[in-house]
Amino acid sequence: MAGAAFLSTAQAPALLGARGVAASPSVSSPARRHLHIQVYCKGNVEGIEAADHEEGLRFRRRDFIGGCVGTAIGLEFIEGSTKFTGVATAADLIERRQRSEFQSSIKDTLYTAIKAKPELVPSLLTLALNDAITYDKATKTGGANGSIRLEISRPENSGLSAALDLLTEAKKEIDSKSKGGPISFADLIQFAAQSALKRSFLDAAIAKCGGNEEKGRTLYSAYGSNGQWGLFDKTFGRTDTQEADPEGRVPNWSKASVQEMKDRFVAVGLGPRQLAVMSAFLGPDQAATEERLIADPDCRPWVEKYQRSRETVSRTDYEVDLITTLTKLSSLGQKINYEAYTYPKPKIDLGKLKL
């Protein structure tokens, strides 16, 4: 197993209990309560009494290692608000930390790239939609598999090459920093859509504050939907296909009828509601797209709902439903590898530890 990181003081959101089950204490205020934890490491289970919030978590390394002689322990108590639930091992926690750090690096790179070329936001959204909506339920093929990089010359993908070029360049930077292998285009394309959406949400908040960026950021932090991305972020570890998906599965959104759009969304398990909320994904002019959708009786109530929501301070209905829809769409046809982008940690030499 991987190496150990011993922290003399740490604030643990979730700690391994007997049999490796993470114990998440219920805390309703920032102050931590006393709790009793147990660490299980293929040996004896040692009880450890945690100190209060002022002193954090303290335990003797001698006691900790005493029950794990001959075993290299990989364990990091991650400080913060993340809660680990269910069955976990020390290695699980390290892998989660590795994936989280890599994901943060991806988001930083994408944020910078999109900030430099904000005009590509609509194309990045359509790129993600067109990659994912090739999913075919009958054959379980297609979906968010990165195949669009092999399909960029098709008519329905006209105008998206600049967005793909942007991501290809960003991928070089991301891969150069990765310790766990290159990022798949399948992941990169969907996370670029997330970054593009966050950019549009922030821009909307700034606009509501009369263009004042500082006030807009404060508004978005206070009322925005940034906390709704949890499930999307966990869907991380898509695999690239090496073949293009069959032609004819993606409409040319600018030319397709509303009925054709609805049929395609229904075919992948979505419907008029999701079509309406994803109007920004269907072309560079969201208002023009919604003008077409609102003429359809199935789409009209949803288009009007989301238009009203965008007029509010929080924009909650629109943003939350859009995040939910993108999360579902971006997982179509994918079996997520939850060990992707992890890497071995150096083994600990127990003989060199000062006990």
Side-chain angles (χ1 to χ4, degrees):
M1 196 175 291
F6 292 98
L7 306 179
S8 60
T9 61
Q11 188 171 317
L15 302 168
L16 296 181
R19 302 184 183 278
V21 178
S24 296
S26 176
V27 180
S28 58
S29 68
R32 302 291 185 189
R33 304 288 185 185
H34 289 281
L35 67 152
H36 184 77
I37 64 170
Q38 293 178 313
V39 178
Y40 175 67
C41 48
K42 297 184 180 179
N44 295 330
V45 176
E46 296 290 336
I48 301 173
E49 186 68 24
D52 58 16
H53 178 62
E54 285 73 17
E55 294 186 357
L57 174 68
R58 296 182 180 273
F59 56 89
R60 293 182 298 168
R61 292 183 296 176
R62 183 191 304 274
D63 293 338
F64 182 81
I65 297 174
C68 312
V69 175
T71 305
I73 307 301
L75 180 59
E76 294 178 0
F77 289 127
I78 301 172
E79 184 175 33
S81 60
T82 304
K83 294 182 179 179
F84 296 99
T85 58
V87 177
T89 66
D92 290 332
L93 299 184
I94 289 180
E95 288 182 355
R96 293 182 191 185
R97 178 67 174 268
Q98 291 172 348
R99 284 163 56 84
S100 176
E101 290 175 347
F102 184 48
Q103 195 175 108
S104 294
S105 175
I106 294 166
K107 292 179 180 181
D108 288 344
T109 301
L110 289 173
Y111 174 84
T112 301
I114 293 172
K115 184 177 181 180
K117 294 189 175 181
E119 69 277 8
L120 291 181
V121 164
S123 296
L124 289 167
L125 298 180
T126 306
L127 193 74
L129 171 63
N130 285 8
D131 190 45
I133 210 159
T134 58
Y135 180 62
D136 181 71
K137 290 196 294 184
T139 61
K140 306 296 183 185
T141 59
N145 56 15
S147 66
I148 197 168
R149 74 193 192 281
L150 309 173
E151 305 156 1
I152 200 66
S153 62
R154 292 179 181 177
E156 65 267 23
N157 297 324
S158 175
L160 302 183
S161 58
L164 183 60
D165 290 344
L166 177 73
L167 297 189
T168 301
E169 287 302 309
K171 187 178 189 302
K172 294 177 183 178
E173 180 178 344
I174 291 168
D175 290 349
S176 70
K177 299 176 182 178
S178 174
K179 298 178 182 179
I183 185 173
S184 67
F185 272 99
D187 275 336
L188 182 62
I189 289 167
Q190 298 306 318
F191 275 86
Q194 180 197 48
S195 293
L197 271 188
K198 286 184 175 182
R199 172 78 191 190
S200 69
F201 292 167
L202 176 59
D203 287 346
I206 292 172
K208 288 184 182 296
C209 294
N212 187 305
E213 184 170 347
E214 182 179 356
K215 290 182 178 179
R217 289 183 179 278
T218 301
L219 175 64
Y220 182 54
S221 297
Y223 295 101
S225 56
N226 211 35
Q228 302 298 318
W229 289 102
L231 183 57
F232 181 93
D233 287 343
K234 291 177 182 177
T235 311
F236 181 47
R238 301 170 184 83
T239 302
D240 281 341
T241 183
Q242 301 306 316
E243 298 179 356
D245 287 333
E247 295 191 55
R249 292 185 180 183
V250 183
N252 187 328
W253 305 111
S254 63
K255 298 179 180 180
S257 68
V258 175
Q259 186 60 51
E260 288 173 327
M261 295 183 194
K262 288 194 300 182
D263 289 346
R264 188 60 214 156
F265 269 66
V266 169
V268 299
L270 303 175
R273 178 176 185 170
Q274 289 76 30
L275 176 62
V277 81
M278 296 198 80
S279 57
F281 286 66
L282 304 175
D285 190 340
Q286 184 176 19
T289 300
E290 290 187 336
E291 187 175 346
R292 295 171 60 201
L293 294 178
I294 207 168
D296 181 88
D298 294 328
C299 296
R300 182 183 185 91
W302 299 111
V303 173
E304 291 176 339
K305 172 186 175 72
Y306 297 129
Q307 287 177 339
R308 290 193 299 269
S309 177
R310 292 200 299 268
E311 294 299 317
T312 65
V313 172
S314 66
R315 296 164 39 107
T316 301
D317 287 344
Y318 172 67
E319 292 188 4
V320 171
D321 282 9
L322 185 48
I323 292 170
T324 301
T325 300
L326 178 60
T327 300
K328 182 174 182 179
L329 184 76
S330 67
S331 65
L332 291 175
Q334 282 291 299
K335 184 176 181 180
I336 303 300
N337 175 12
Y338 291 99
E339 295 181 355
Y341 314 121
T342 61
Y343 50 92
K345 296 281 283 187
K347 290 186 177 181
I348 188 170
D349 186 349
L350 296 178
K352 293 182 178 181
L353 288 177
K354 296 181 181 180
L355 303 179

